């Protein structure tokens, strides 16, 4: 067991209960093996005592080992501390040596600089004297008329010759003309000859793609007057074969990207060369392309001209935005804006006039084509005319002042026409936003909006409303076709589209300008004018509906319905007139729901329901009622009330509930009349109204019912 009891047995995770169980299981007679007979507690106790002794011995061994390790650790820590102290002392000594060395180096450097300055002070005048002597030697050759030096005759030394001739050219300009005219002319001739050779060499190197040679020659030419010509030659040659695609703007972008990498390797001021290249491209290639595209359509096809102008301007500004990534100098945005303005200024000045003229012609054509397809000749809708006076009288009195116009169910409203007009206007807004000067943008956008109002709202929607109003028959017309609700439905749909375009395309252009107030005022004015006509038309349509119901009641309702000859032989649930009126009402309610939206549905149905109730109320007061007739009247009103539920308007249902309660007065027993009149539904009604209903009973006089109201 001594070999088994080691420190490894107590490594984590250690479970004391499990350890005791294992020890007991390994002890003969100490576990459950062999049953209760084999269990020997003495052996188990002996094993536990022995094992405890072993654990004590193990603990002592471990404790001795720990003490030994602690002593070793303390000893090594002291040794390490001594080493660190030695290293710190060595580092301090090294730092002192470094400071001394640094001071010595600084002293030597100061001496060297001083010596260099002294040497330069002696050498510079000497070099200048040598250079002056060398130039005087070359000047004498020009003065003698014979260039003997190898530098002027060896093509390989053209760079050295260029440096000399450039300096001689500057010196010659300071000499008096009368004494040195010949030598000045010879130097100038050689100057121009070398300049020409250098440009030719630069051009040849560019064609060969030798960037290093181009850089060398450009550096030499930098001090010559012909340097600008060298740049021009470079720019011209860069563009040779660059425009191979159908897309000029894509070609230009690729060209500029390629040249931008090259100019930095060739020229000492790449931003100037790049700016000159872009200026050349704009003033030549783009301007010619724009002129060709626009001039061919300006007078022949205005629509295509406006599309081309928008496309070309958009692509040019997009190209300019890409070019701002290149180094073009400090004010590259202004530089590019001027280039664009120089190309498009003549076209942009007349843009809005052409846009408005095109929009007028196009909108007029769309409307005329639609009316022609309907074989309709637009009739003038004037103001202050006899026709308008008749229309006003007719609206207010419903008097038949001549026949109404028969439109054969045509609303004269077309969503296709509206979509086309809105699409043309949307394109106009997009072009206006891009092509207008920022200061003129709100004004131009407002002028386009006025055209939309004129052609869409006035010439199309308002005209259709006028025709629709004229087509509404009088209230006493029989079997009238009420197409005005179809006009209302389509007008609402169209105006939603108009309002969406107003918010999506016009508002962003005018939201921060004074024109916003004008636009909102104009829109409000248009809406109010249309709402007046819509309200008028709906009111007259409701009158026609009530008139049709009145006609049904007048023709179908008989006096004998409510005072039958045989009181005991009434088999019907409600009268024929009631059935036909309810069917007509349900049809009209459904029609109103299809034609209106939002709160307008409830508003119109409320008005129709109130008028429907008034009609039935007045209709019932035209008859006398027997007991069975009163029951039939109650059945009719119950059916009317069922139709009133289709309105889904609480007020209408409440009115018919009250009417139903009033009809109960026609059948209630005389002794109970006073009690019914004071019931919940009737107690708040005018007693004269209650009395009027009671007077409709045939037994009013015989039963002396008037005494209940005296």
């Amino acid at each position: 067991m001594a070999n088994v009891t080691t420190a490894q047995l107590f490594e984590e995770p250690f479970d004391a209960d499990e350890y005791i169980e294992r020890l007991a299981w390994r002890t003969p007679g100490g576990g459950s093996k062999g049953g209760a007979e084999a269990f020997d507690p003495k052996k188990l106790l002996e094993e536990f005592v022995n094992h405890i002794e072993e654990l004590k011995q193990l603990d002592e061994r471990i404790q001795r080992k720990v003490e030994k390790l602690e002593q070793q650790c303390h000893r090594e820590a002291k040794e390490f501390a001594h080493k660190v102290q030695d290293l710190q002392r060595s580092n301090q000594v090294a730092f002192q040596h470094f400071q001394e060395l640094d001071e010595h180096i600084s002293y030597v450097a100061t001496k060297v600089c001083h010596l260099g300055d002294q040497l330069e002070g002696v050498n510079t005048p000497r070099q200048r004297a040598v250079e002056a002597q060398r130039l005087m030697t070359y000047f004498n050759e020009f003065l003698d008329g014979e260039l003997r030096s190898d530098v002027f005759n060896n093509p390989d030394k053209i760079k050295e010759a260029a440096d000399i001739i450039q300096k001689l050219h500057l010196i010659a300009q300071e000499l008096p003309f009368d004494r040195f005219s010949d030598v000045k002319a010879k130097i100038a001739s050689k100057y121009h000859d070398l300049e020409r050779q250098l440009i030719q060499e630069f051009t040849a190197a560019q064609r060969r793609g030798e960037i290093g040679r181009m850089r060398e020659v450009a550096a030499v030419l930098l001090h010559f007057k012909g340097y600008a010509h060298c740049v021009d030659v470079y720019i011209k040659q860069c563009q040779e074969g660059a425009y191979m695609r159908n897309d000029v703007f894509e070609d230009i972008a690729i060209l500029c990207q390629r040249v931008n990498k090259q100019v930095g390797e060739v020229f000492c001021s790449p931003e100037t060369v790049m700016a000159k290249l872009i200026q050349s491209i704009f003033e030549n290639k783009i301007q010619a392309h724009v002129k060709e595209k626009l001039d061919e359509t300006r007078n022949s096809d205005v629509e295509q001209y406006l599309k081309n102008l928008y496309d070309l301007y958009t692509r040019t500004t997009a190209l300019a935005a890409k070019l701002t990534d290149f180094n073009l100098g400090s004010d590259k945005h202004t530089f590019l804006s001027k280039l664009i303005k120089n190309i498009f200024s003549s076209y942009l000045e007349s843009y809005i006039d052409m846009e408005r003229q095109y929009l007028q012609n196009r909108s007029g054509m769309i409307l005329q084509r639609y009316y022609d397809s309907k074989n309709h000749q637009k009739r003038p809708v004037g103001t202050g005319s006899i026709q308008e006076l008749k229309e006003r009288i007719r609206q207010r009195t419903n008097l038949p002042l001549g026949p109404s116009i028969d439109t054969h169910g045509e609303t004269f409203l077309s969503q296709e026409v509206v979509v086309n007009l809105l699409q043309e206007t949307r394109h106009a807004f997009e072009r206006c936003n891009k092509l207008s000067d920022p200061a003129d943008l709100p004004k131009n956008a407002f002028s386009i909006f006025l055209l939309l109002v004129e052609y869409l709202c006035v010439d199309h929607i308002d005209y259709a409303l006028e025709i629709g109003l004229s087509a509404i028959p009088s209230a006493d017309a029989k079997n009238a076709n009420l197409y005005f609700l179809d006009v209302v439905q389509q007008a609402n749909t169209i105006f939603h589209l108009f309002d969406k375009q107003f918010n999506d395309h016009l508002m962003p252009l005018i939201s921060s300008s004074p024109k916003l107030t004008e636009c909102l005022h104009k829109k409000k004015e248009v809406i109010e004018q249309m709402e007046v006509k819509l309200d008028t038309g709906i009111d007259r349509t409701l009158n026609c509906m009530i008139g049709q119901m009145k006609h049904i009641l007048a023709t179908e309702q008989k006096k004998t319905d409510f005072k039958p000859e045989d009181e005991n032989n009434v088999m019907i649930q409600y009268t024929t007139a009631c059935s036909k009126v309810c069917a007509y009402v349900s049809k009209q309610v459904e029609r109103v729901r299809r034609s209106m939206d939002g709160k307008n549905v409830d508003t119109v149905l409320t008005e129709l329901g109130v008028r429907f109730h008034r009609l039935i109320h007045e209709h019932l007061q035209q008859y006398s009622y027997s007991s069975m007739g009163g029951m039939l009247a109650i059945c009719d009103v119950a059916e009317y009330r069922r139709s009133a539920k289709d309105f889904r308007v609480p007020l209408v249902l409440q009115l018919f509930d009250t009417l139903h309660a009033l009809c109960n007065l026609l059948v209630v027993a005389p002794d109970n009349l006073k009690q019914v009149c004071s019931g919940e539904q009737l107690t708040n009604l005018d007693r004269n109204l209650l009395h009027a209903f009671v007077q409709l009973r045939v037994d009013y006089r015989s039963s002396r019912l008037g005494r209940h109201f005296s």
Side-chain angles (χ1 to χ4, degrees):
M1 290 299 291
N3 296 331
V4 177
T5 309
T6 62
Q8 283 75 13
L9 292 173
F10 301 97
E11 291 181 351
E12 294 293 339
F14 175 75
D15 188 339
D17 293 339
E18 183 182 352
Y19 181 78
I20 297 297
E21 288 293 336
R22 265 202 324 270
L23 180 61
W25 183 79
R26 286 198 301 268
T27 303
S32 59
K33 291 187 295 182
E37 296 80 7
F39 178 71
D40 189 347
K42 292 182 178 179
K43 287 185 179 181
L44 183 61
L45 176 61
E46 182 182 353
E47 180 61 28
F48 279 176
V49 171
N50 293 336
H51 197 75
I52 289 170
E53 288 299 323
E54 291 176 5
L55 289 175
K56 289 179 179 179
Q57 294 173 8
L58 176 62
D59 181 61
E60 292 173 358
R61 289 199 302 272
I62 292 174
Q63 189 63 35
R64 287 195 297 271
K65 188 174 181 180
V66 168
E67 291 174 356
K68 183 179 179 181
L69 289 173
E70 285 179 349
Q71 292 173 359
Q72 183 180 352
C73 182
H74 288 309
R75 186 171 58 254
E76 291 180 356
K78 289 180 181 179
E79 292 175 358
F80 181 74
H82 289 308
K83 287 182 181 179
V84 170
Q85 289 176 357
D86 293 341
L87 287 173
Q88 285 179 339
R89 284 193 293 270
S90 300
N91 182 58
Q92 191 171 6
V93 172
F95 182 71
Q96 289 174 354
H97 289 319
F98 175 78
Q99 283 184 322
E100 292 172 1
L101 182 61
D102 184 54
E103 291 173 359
H104 188 64
I105 290 173
S106 298
Y107 175 76
V108 173
T110 303
K111 290 292 185 182
V112 170
C113 289
H114 179 65
L115 182 60
D117 292 339
Q118 289 179 331
L119 291 173
E120 186 178 0
V122 174
N123 189 51
T124 301
R126 179 180 173 280
Q127 284 183 337
R128 289 176 181 171
V130 171
E131 180 69 15
Q133 184 184 11
R134 189 169 67 95
L135 290 175
M136 288 173 66
T137 302
Y138 294 131
F139 185 80
N140 284 335
E141 291 185 16
F142 280 98
L143 197 60
D144 296 340
E146 183 180 356
L147 300 178
R148 297 179 298 276
S149 299
D150 181 57
V151 71
F152 294 122
N153 298 308
N154 189 348
D156 295 333
K157 295 185 178 181
I158 189 171
K159 181 178 179 181
E160 186 180 348
D163 181 58
I164 294 169
I165 200 67
Q166 194 267 337
K167 293 176 180 177
L168 289 175
H169 185 260
L170 291 175
I171 294 170
Q173 290 178 347
E174 302 296 328
L175 298 175
F177 182 78
D178 52 350
R179 291 178 57 192
F180 298 96
S181 59
D182 291 340
V183 71
K184 291 178 73 169
K186 291 175 183 177
I187 292 173
S189 176
K190 189 64 177 176
Y191 178 90
H192 293 305
D193 184 50
L194 277 173
E195 189 178 64
R196 179 179 52 79
Q197 290 180 44
L198 287 168
I199 292 175
Q200 289 176 351
E201 176 64 24
F202 181 88
T203 304
Q206 185 179 0
R207 286 178 177 155
R208 294 192 300 269
E210 297 177 358
I211 301 298
R213 184 58 180 161
M214 291 169 64
R215 180 170 57 249
E216 291 176 8
V217 177
V220 175
L221 276 169
L222 181 62
H223 304 291
F224 280 77
K225 294 179 180 179
Y227 178 73
H229 183 57
C230 170
V231 173
D232 292 339
V233 169
Y234 173 78
I235 289 172
K236 181 179 179 182
Q237 201 157 304
C238 282
Q239 298 182 67
E240 290 180 1
Y243 308 111
M244 303 298 291
R245 300 176 180 80
N246 292 328
D247 191 341
V248 173
F249 296 95
E250 187 65 27
D251 286 335
I252 292 172
I254 294 172
L255 168 65
C256 292
Q257 192 72 37
R258 174 171 58 82
V259 173
N260 184 59
K261 296 178 181 178
Q262 195 178 78
V263 291
E265 300 174 356
V266 174
F267 298 97
C268 61
S269 55
E271 69 279 358
T272 305
V273 179
M274 198 67 196
K276 200 166 185 180
L277 168 66
I278 291 173
Q279 183 175 357
S280 172
I281 291 172
F282 270 74
E283 292 178 351
N284 296 294
K285 190 64 183 177
I286 295 181
Q287 187 156 18
H289 178 69
V290 169
K291 188 174 183 350
E292 177 189 359
K293 284 283 188 182
L294 296 181
D295 287 358
E296 67 183 9
T297 57
R298 187 165 192 170
N299 298 319
S300 58
D301 189 347
V302 179
E303 180 181 8
Q304 192 60 46
Y305 167 80
L306 291 171
K307 288 180 180 178
N308 288 346
L309 177 60
Y310 174 76
D311 180 64
L312 290 169
Y313 189 82
T314 301
R315 302 200 66 189
T316 304
T317 52
L319 175 64
K322 290 181 182 178
L323 297 179
T324 55
D325 295 338
F326 305 139
N327 184 10
L328 306 177
S330 58
D331 200 5
K332 52 189 173 184
H333 294 283
T334 304
F335 168 69
L336 291 168
S337 297
K338 286 182 179 178
L339 292 178
I340 295 173
K341 185 177 180 181
N342 290 339
I343 295 174
F344 289 97
S345 59
S346 61
Y347 302 105
L348 297 182
E349 286 174 358
S350 60
Y351 154 70
I352 193 61
D353 293 331
M354 297 191 72
E355 183 73 80
R356 293 182 74 257
Q357 187 62 46
Y358 164 72
L359 199 57
Q360 283 179 321
N361 295 338
R362 180 68 177 166
S363 300
M365 186 190 74
I366 291 172
L367 289 176
Q368 190 57 50
R369 189 168 57 194
Y370 168 70
Y371 293 123
D372 289 345
S373 70
K374 299 294 182 181
N375 293 321
H376 176 72
Q377 180 67 38
K378 283 190 73 174
R379 65 191 192 96
V381 182
T383 58
S385 62
I386 298 297
Q387 181 64 33
E388 183 182 3
L389 180 61
K390 287 184 177 180
E391 198 62 35
R392 288 185 177 179
I393 296 174
R394 186 175 180 178
Q395 290 173 14
R396 297 187 180 185
T397 64
N398 289 319
L399 294 175
L401 302 177
S404 61
I405 297 175
D406 187 2
T407 61
H408 303 287
E410 180 60 57
T411 62
F412 291 104
L413 286 172
S414 167
Q415 285 201 24
E416 181 182 356
V417 168
V418 173
V419 169
N420 288 337
L421 290 174
L422 291 175
Q423 187 173 7
E424 292 292 344
T425 311
R426 178 171 61 83
H427 292 326
F429 281 135
E430 290 173 354
R431 290 191 289 264
C432 177
N433 185 30
K434 197 72 177 178
L435 302 176
S436 294
D437 185 272
D440 296 331
L441 176 58
K443 178 183 67 175
N444 293 346
F446 181 63
S447 66
I448 293 173
F449 172 66
L450 291 180
L451 290 176
L452 177 63
V453 169
E454 177 183 350
Y455 286 95
L456 176 63
C457 299
V458 177
D459 288 358
H460 191 55
I461 303 178
D462 192 70
Y463 177 75
L465 293 178
E466 288 286 352
I467 295 296
L469 285 171
S470 302
I472 298 175
S474 61
D476 57 355
K478 300 176 182 178
N479 299 319
N481 292 318
L482 305 177
Y483 294 113
F484 191 79
L485 289 180
D486 297 332
V487 176
V488 173
Q489 179 184 8
Q490 293 188 33
N492 282 336
T493 302
I494 292 170
F495 203 80
H496 285 317
L497 296 175
F498 168 78
D499 192 52
K500 186 177 188 313
Q501 182 162 99
F502 181 90
N503 293 324
D504 293 350
H505 295 96
L506 177 61
M507 284 295 288
L509 307 184
I510 61 169
S511 58
S512 57
S513 76
K515 285 293 178 183
L516 174 62
T517 305
E518 288 187 56
C519 285
L520 292 174
H521 176 73
K522 186 65 179 177
K523 179 186 173 187
K524 181 182 178 183
E525 180 183 331
V526 170
I527 293 175
E528 288 176 349
Q529 289 176 354
M530 291 187 182
E531 285 180 344
V532 168
K533 293 182 179 179
L534 287 170
D535 290 345
T536 301
I538 292 171
D539 180 71
R540 292 173 55 194
T541 300
L542 295 182
N543 285 339
C544 287
M545 292 179 183
I546 298 302
Q548 186 66 23
M549 296 181 209
K550 188 180 294 186
H551 174 70
I552 294 172
L553 292 172
T555 54
E556 298 293 335
Q557 196 85 71
K558 300 178 176 58
K559 290 187 177 182
T560 56
D561 287 343
F562 302 115
K563 198 162 59 173
E565 296 177 358
D566 186 355
E567 290 280 330
N568 299 319
N569 194 24
V570 178
M571 305 298 295
I572 58 174
Q573 295 180 343
Y574 42 81
T575 63
T576 303
C578 171
S579 174
K580 291 186 176 182
V581 167
C582 289
Y584 180 80
V585 168
S586 297
K587 182 179 177 182
Q588 300 311 314
V589 169
E590 185 61 31
R591 192 169 185 181
V592 169
R593 291 195 184 282
R594 288 198 310 267
S595 304
M596 307 289 172
D597 58 2
K599 295 182 178 179
N600 293 331
V601 176
D602 292 339
T603 302
V604 174
L605 288 180
T606 299
E607 183 62 27
L608 177 60
V610 170
R611 297 187 188 189
F612 174 40
H613 167 266
R614 186 185 305 125
L615 172 66
I616 300 302
H617 186 278
E618 293 173 354
H619 173 72
L620 291 174
Q621 289 184 313
Q622 298 175 10
Y623 300 93
S624 297
Y625 299 88
S626 63
S627 177
M628 186 54 66
M631 292 297 297
L632 196 56
I634 291 175
C635 291
D636 276 4
V637 172
E639 192 65 20
Y640 291 137
R641 185 173 59 176
R642 191 176 295 111
S643 292
K645 290 181 180 179
D646 295 339
F647 287 72
R648 301 173 201 165
V649 177
L651 173 63
V652 176
L653 191 59
Q654 181 183 349
L655 289 173
F656 276 94
D657 285 342
T658 303
L659 183 60
H660 189 269
L662 282 171
C663 289
N664 285 331
L665 298 177
L666 302 175
V667 297
V668 67
D671 295 339
N672 297 332
L673 185 61
K674 190 171 183 179
Q675 180 183 353
V676 172
C677 287
S678 59
E680 181 181 352
Q681 288 184 311
L682 301 180
T683 185
N684 294 325
L685 295 182
D686 187 357
R687 290 184 61 80
N688 292 328
L689 176 62
L690 302 179
H691 191 191
F693 254 83
V694 172
Q695 285 178 322
L696 301 176
R697 294 173 56 145
V698 294
D699 62 345
Y700 174 74
R701 296 184 182 279
S702 59
S703 299
R704 296 175 60 204
L705 299 179
R707 57 190 169 85
H708 295 290
F709 299 95
S710 58

